[in-house]
């Protein structure tokens, strides 16, 4: 392309040239290059003694005395972001998502020549997590503390801040930390099953121990490791991590015990109660719900099918919110189209949501199903993948600022990353000690580009109006994290070509088991069965009775009348009934496209408080079982 001197051109020509340049950036997006850079980022985040194969050569050994004072070897692992603390909860979530990315899209990662590096990235994390779990009911969850660390600006090789290690145990529990670490080990055990079976079994053994520890001794980890509260507080509690861990252990073992746990605790732990609009290191419900949907769609639900369908209602709520096709709450977007959840490190929510959109798109495609959102019939799986692609494209430069938010990708990326190691000259170049406060005076405050390019780092990203300030002290926008990149790796791998090879449905596509769309609810559903007689549910009373019978072809056929009355005190706009054991015809309900699922009759738009409607069915059998799967207050 000929060079254009923009300063000498009329405004319309300048605009045309800029537009052409922008279009060229869109066409030039290279998912394979972004994938390799994202994986390289993890080498820059390593703590411990670095291997000879280290590619981020500007880094050196660090944290070699970690754990010594506590009598345990805690070398290794990852610094979570731009500081020098090893926080166990986000580190474990990073490994879980790196593993899930590899489980779903390992063949694409391999096709791009990145599988060996990805396995090394996962193992660098799991090796540390294994050391952090020296006995069944003990888990070290943090090395260093954020307060002293944030008072200093030192590269990891020089850090002089306290390196105390903090743990949870039976007297000081942390179910969220133990549950997420169990999830990481279980997911990684799947990754290493084929290539390193012994290591896989070791991970699985630790995962089972940690899950038992988490479930038996319940409590929030930040009530035990209080110093984590200002940095990685467990706002969602530990219930989501217990379900998350059980779901991953089921994926890794196929043991019904764990699926039963997910089903039996669906309501008490909130798995089928919470309608989510974010998925993160803290809040795992949307991930649990998508994994439960996967089990259901693979035909493995068995006697837990109804409960898994309730999980799927909630998974689809999240996905529809991302698509902005819910009745009510949506995931916001910036004017440039980026999903937006909150100001601090918004990119973490973008990549996790994009990952769930991507895998769910493949799950739907594998079973020839479509997503149904409020007021929309048949959202094609390609629409989910298209939204995920648009988010990745935005990250890589297709945005109003024409800025790549991945360091080292493209020509216009952040130069002043909020990251100690990147912002201070490499110890390989200048070995002079950088003091705690001297680092602030010399390196943090300077307005020049980082001396070390933190290749592959995904920074926090722009604000809700697509504005971004490339300044080192702007930590909300310029600090990268390991958990930003774990799910992004899966999406990037998928976008290089081909769908997931890990989704192998065991039921014919002609027998879909997907669920109706989830909606915002004001009360959590409880999934109680209403077989016959009078039953009170949280929002409705259901009365079933046989009103007539007759003989037909040697069988006694009964006519059953079922009355549904709203007892909630609020109008109901939607209600979904799962009706099992139906063997005859039914009148007075509208059939949905989902198996055994019905909703209001066509003439009923909503059910007012105290109002009833009736449906009738005939069958030569006992009354049906009715499950209240979902409801929405008007």
């Amino acid at each position: 392309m000929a060079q254009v001197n923009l300063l000498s051109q009329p405004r319309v020509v300048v605009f045309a040239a800029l537009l052409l340049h922008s279009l060229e950036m869109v066409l030039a997006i290279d998912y394979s290059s972004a994938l390799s850079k994202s994986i390289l980022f993890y080498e820059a985040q390593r703590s411990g003694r670095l291997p000879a194969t280290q590619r981020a050569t500007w880094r050196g050994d660090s944290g070699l005395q970690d754990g010594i004072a506590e009598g345990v070897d805690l070398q290794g692992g990852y610094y979570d972001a731009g500081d020098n603390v090893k926080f166990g909860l986000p580190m474990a979530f990073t490994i879980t998502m790196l593993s899930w990315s590899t489980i779903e899209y390992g063949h694409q990662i391999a096709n791009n020549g990145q599988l060996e590096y990805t396995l090394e990235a996962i193992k660098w994390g799991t090796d540390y997590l294994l050391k952090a779990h020296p006995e069944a009911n003990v888990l070290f969850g943090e090395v260093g503390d954020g307060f002293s660390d944030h008072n200093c600006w030192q590269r990891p090789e020089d850090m002089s801040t306290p390196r105390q290690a903090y743990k949870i145990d039976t007297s000081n529990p942390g179910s969220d930390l133990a549950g997420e670490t169990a999830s990481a080990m279980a997911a990684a055990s799947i990754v290493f099953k084929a290539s390193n079976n012994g290591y896989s079994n070791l991970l699985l053994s630790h995962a089972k121990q940690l899950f038992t520890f988490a479930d038996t001794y319940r409590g929030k980890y930040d009530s035990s490791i209080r110093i984590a509260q200002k940095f990685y507080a467990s706002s969602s509690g530990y219930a989501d991590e217990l379900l998350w861990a059980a779901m991953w252990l089921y994926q890794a073992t196929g043991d019904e015990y764990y699926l039963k746990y997910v089903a039996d605790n669906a309501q008490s732990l909130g798995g089928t109660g919470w309608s989510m609009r974010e998925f993160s290191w803290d809040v795992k419900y949307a991930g649990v719900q998508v994994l439960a949907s996967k089990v259901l769609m693979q035909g493995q639900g068995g006697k837990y099918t109804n409960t898994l369908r309730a999980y799927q209602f909630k998974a689809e709520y999240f996905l529809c919110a991302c698509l902005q096709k819910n009745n009510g709450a949506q995931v916001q977007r910036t004017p440039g189209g980026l999903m937006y959840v909150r100001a601090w490190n918004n990119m973490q929510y973008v990549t996790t949501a994009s990952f769930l959109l991507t895998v769910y798109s493949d799950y739907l495609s594998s079973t020839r199903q479509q997503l149904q959102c409020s007021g929309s019939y048949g959202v094609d799986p390609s629409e989910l993948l298209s939204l995920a692609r648009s988010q990745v494209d935005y990250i890589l430069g297709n945005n109003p600022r024409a800025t790549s938010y991945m360091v080292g990708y493209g020509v216009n990326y952040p130069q002043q990353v909020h990251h100690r190691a990147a912002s201070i000259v490499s110890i390989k170049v200048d070995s002079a000690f950088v003091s705690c406060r001297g680092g602030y005076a010399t390196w943090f405050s300077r307005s020049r580009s980082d001396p070390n390019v933190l290749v592959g780092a995904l920074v926090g990203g722009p604000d809700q109006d697509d504005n971004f300030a490339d300044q080192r002290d702007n930590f909300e926008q310029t600090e990268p994290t390991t958990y930003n990149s774990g799910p992004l790796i899966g999406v990037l791998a998928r976008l290089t070509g081909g769908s997931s090879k890990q989704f192998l449905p065991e039921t014919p596509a002609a027998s879909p088991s997907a669920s109706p769309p989830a909606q915002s609810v004001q009360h959590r559903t409880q999934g109680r069965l209403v077989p016959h007689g009078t039953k009170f549910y949280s929002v409705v009373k259901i009365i079933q009775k046989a009103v007539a019978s007759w003989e037909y072809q040697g069988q006694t056929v009964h006519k059953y009348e079922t009355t549904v009355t709203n007892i909630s005190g609020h109008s109901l706009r939607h209600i979904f009934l799962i009706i099992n054991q139906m063997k005859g015809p039914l009148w007075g309900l509208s059939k949905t496209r989902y198996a055994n699922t019905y909703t209001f009759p066509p003439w009923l738009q909503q059910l007012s408080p105290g109002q009833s409607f009736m449906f009738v069915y005939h069958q030569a059998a006992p009354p049906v079982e009715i499950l209240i799967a979902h409801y929405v207050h008007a």
Side-chain angles (χ1 to χ4, degrees):
M1 175 182 171
Q3 295 295 316
V4 178
N5 184 351
L6 298 182
L7 296 178
S8 65
Q9 307 301 315
R11 288 184 180 179
V12 66
V13 177
V14 171
F15 176 79
L18 290 173
L19 178 60
L20 178 59
H21 176 66
S22 177
L23 289 174
E24 287 181 337
M25 287 193 67
V26 174
L27 294 174
I29 286 177
D30 186 341
Y31 300 120
S32 181
S33 174
L35 172 64
S36 64
K37 293 177 188 299
S38 294
I39 296 168
L40 178 59
F41 166 63
Y42 286 98
E43 297 192 20
Q45 295 301 109
R46 285 172 171 170
S47 179
R49 194 174 302 280
L50 303 183
T53 56
Q54 173 82 7
R55 294 180 295 161
T57 55
W58 51 274
R59 279 294 322 282
D61 298 342
S62 62
L64 300 184
Q65 300 299 311
D66 286 354
I68 294 296
E70 291 76 23
V72 61
D73 175 14
L74 293 177
Q75 282 191 44
Y78 291 107
Y79 303 117
D80 70 299
D83 51 30
N84 299 327
V85 184
K86 293 191 293 200
F87 292 100
L89 184 59
M91 190 193 307
F93 179 70
T94 296
I95 301 306
T96 306
M97 295 309 299
L98 272 173
S99 298
W100 195 359
S101 290
T102 308
I103 290 166
E104 299 287 353
Y105 303 114
H107 68 293
Q108 288 98 333
I109 294 173
N111 289 342
N112 284 276
Q114 298 300 312
L115 184 58
E116 180 181 354
Y117 297 125
T118 305
L119 296 182
E120 288 177 357
I122 295 170
K123 194 171 186 294
W124 192 269
T126 52
D127 282 351
Y128 171 80
L129 296 178
L130 287 170
K131 291 190 288 187
H133 183 225
E135 53 187 286
N137 296 331
V138 173
L139 177 64
F140 284 87
E142 182 172 332
V143 179
D145 74 83
F147 295 104
S148 64
D149 179 88
H150 285 199
N151 195 46
C152 292
W153 195 262
Q154 291 176 289
R155 56 195 175 196
E157 297 83 357
D158 288 329
M159 60 184 171
S160 55
T161 50
R163 299 299 290 174
Q164 181 178 346
Y166 301 86
K167 69 180 180 180
I168 57 172
D169 53 28
T170 56
S171 300
N172 302 282
S175 301
D176 30 24
L177 175 63
E180 182 58 65
T181 308
S183 300
M185 291 185 175
S189 76
I190 301 172
V191 171
F192 290 107
K193 187 68 176 176
S195 62
N196 192 341
N197 188 56
Y199 189 68
S200 172
N201 289 337
L202 177 64
L203 290 170
L204 199 53
S205 175
H206 279 262
K208 291 176 180 179
Q209 283 188 346
L210 281 165
F211 175 73
T212 300
F213 173 37
D215 192 38
T216 304
Y217 300 94
R218 294 191 179 188
K220 287 178 60 181
Y221 97 103
D222 59 4
S223 296
S224 298
I225 304 177
R226 294 181 180 274
I227 203 162
Q229 290 178 354
K230 295 294 184 180
F231 305 96
Y232 286 100
S234 182
S235 301
S236 69
Y238 57 78
D240 52 336
E241 277 88 5
L242 289 176
L243 294 171
W244 180 237
M247 199 71 255
W248 274 113
L249 278 162
Y250 176 71
Q251 293 286 319
T253 66
D255 188 338
E256 186 184 338
Y257 170 82
Y258 297 108
L259 186 60
K260 184 176 186 297
Y261 183 96
V262 171
D264 289 350
N265 293 281
Q267 294 303 319
S268 63
L269 296 179
T272 55
W274 285 105
S275 299
M276 302 308 305
R277 283 180 289 147
E278 72 173 75
F279 174 44
S280 67
W281 62 264
D282 181 30
V283 188
K284 317 295 165 50
Y285 283 116
V288 174
Q289 291 155 0
V290 166
L291 280 178
S293 302
K294 181 180 183 181
V295 173
L296 179 66
M297 296 162 75
Q298 287 177 313
Q300 299 174 349
K303 59 187 176 183
Y304 309 112
T305 293
N306 289 335
T307 304
L308 294 178
R309 188 173 291 126
Y311 273 102
Q312 194 177 32
F313 293 159
K314 300 302 182 180
E316 296 195 350
Y317 175 93
F318 175 84
L319 299 164
C320 292
C322 292
L323 290 165
Q324 295 191 326
K325 292 190 174 184
N326 268 340
N327 264 346
Q330 318 284 0
V331 174
Q332 294 182 48
R333 294 188 198 168
T334 68
L338 184 72
M339 287 188 281
Y340 186 84
V341 176
R342 57 180 58 90
W344 195 328
N345 189 20
N346 181 64
M347 282 302 186
Q348 65 176 305
Y349 309 108
V350 175
T351 61
T352 51
S354 296
F355 181 84
L356 294 187
L357 285 161
T358 299
V359 297
Y360 207 84
S361 172
D362 284 340
Y363 298 166
L364 290 172
S365 295
S366 297
T367 52
R368 301 191 184 95
Q369 296 182 44
Q370 293 181 319
L371 179 68
Q372 182 177 336
C373 299
S374 304
S376 176
Y377 296 92
V379 177
D380 193 81
S382 63
E383 191 170 339
L384 281 73
L385 185 61
S386 177
L387 176 57
R389 183 189 298 272
S390 74
Q391 301 304 294
V392 173
D393 289 354
Y394 185 110
I395 288 170
L396 298 179
N398 185 17
N399 56 64
R401 291 176 50 86
T403 295
S404 166
Y405 294 103
M406 179 182 290
V407 178
Y409 179 91
V411 295
N412 181 25
Y413 54 80
Q415 302 292 318
Q416 295 187 37
V417 182
H418 185 90
H419 191 277
R420 286 159 176 76
S423 67
I424 301 174
V425 64
S426 169
I427 197 168
K428 306 287 185 67
V429 175
D430 185 349
S431 62
F433 176 74
V434 177
S435 68
C436 173
R437 302 306 297 175
Y440 270 113
T442 304
W443 297 102
F444 177 80
S445 60
R446 74 176 199 154
S447 58
R448 294 166 57 189
S449 299
D450 296 331
N452 309 303
V453 180
L454 193 63
V455 175
L458 178 59
V459 300
D463 66 14
Q464 60 187 356
D465 296 314
D466 299 303
N467 297 317
F468 178 79
D470 185 10
Q471 298 170 348
R472 195 167 292 114
D473 61 355
N474 181 18
F475 51 84
E476 288 190 352
Q477 294 188 329
T478 64
E479 186 172 22
T481 69
T482 57
Y483 45 88
N484 287 9
S485 300
L488 178 62
I489 283 171
V491 184
L492 286 168
R494 172 64 175 87
L495 293 177
T496 64
S499 60
S500 174
K501 299 294 185 184
Q502 296 297 324
F503 192 87
L504 303 174
E506 298 183 4
T507 53
S511 302
S513 55
S515 61
Q519 308 288 339
S520 299
V521 298
Q522 297 181 6
H523 300 283
R524 299 186 184 183
T525 59
Q526 299 181 29
R528 297 174 182 169
L529 290 175
V530 187
H532 60 276
T534 301
K535 291 288 182 178
F536 289 87
Y537 192 65
S538 57
V539 292
V540 295
K541 176 177 68 175
I542 297 179
I543 301 175
Q544 291 205 78
K545 58 183 178 181
V547 296
S549 60
W550 58 92
E551 295 297 318
Y552 178 73
Q553 295 184 349
Q555 291 184 308
T556 301
V557 179
H558 302 279
K559 176 183 178 181
Y560 293 98
E561 288 183 355
T562 303
T563 303
V564 180
T565 304
N566 181 357
I567 61 171
S568 71
H570 302 276
S571 293
L572 295 173
R573 188 171 70 245
H574 294 290
I575 191 167
F576 291 98
L577 308 177
I578 299 174
I579 301 180
N580 294 318
Q581 302 175 4
M582 176 69 70
K583 303 181 184 301
L586 177 147
W587 300 268
L589 289 176
S590 296
K591 181 74 171 68
T592 74
R593 69 181 182 87
Y594 306 101
N596 305 331
T597 306
Y598 300 81
T599 188
F600 286 148
W603 50 266
L604 185 62
Q605 300 303 310
Q606 67 177 29
L607 196 65
S608 301
Q611 184 181 3
S612 301
F613 70 90
M614 178 186 295
F615 64 91
V616 177
Y617 61 93
H618 296 171
Q619 67 178 18
V624 297
E625 292 182 335
I626 302 175
L627 175 67
I628 309 299
H630 192 71
Y631 61 90
V632 182
H633 281 144

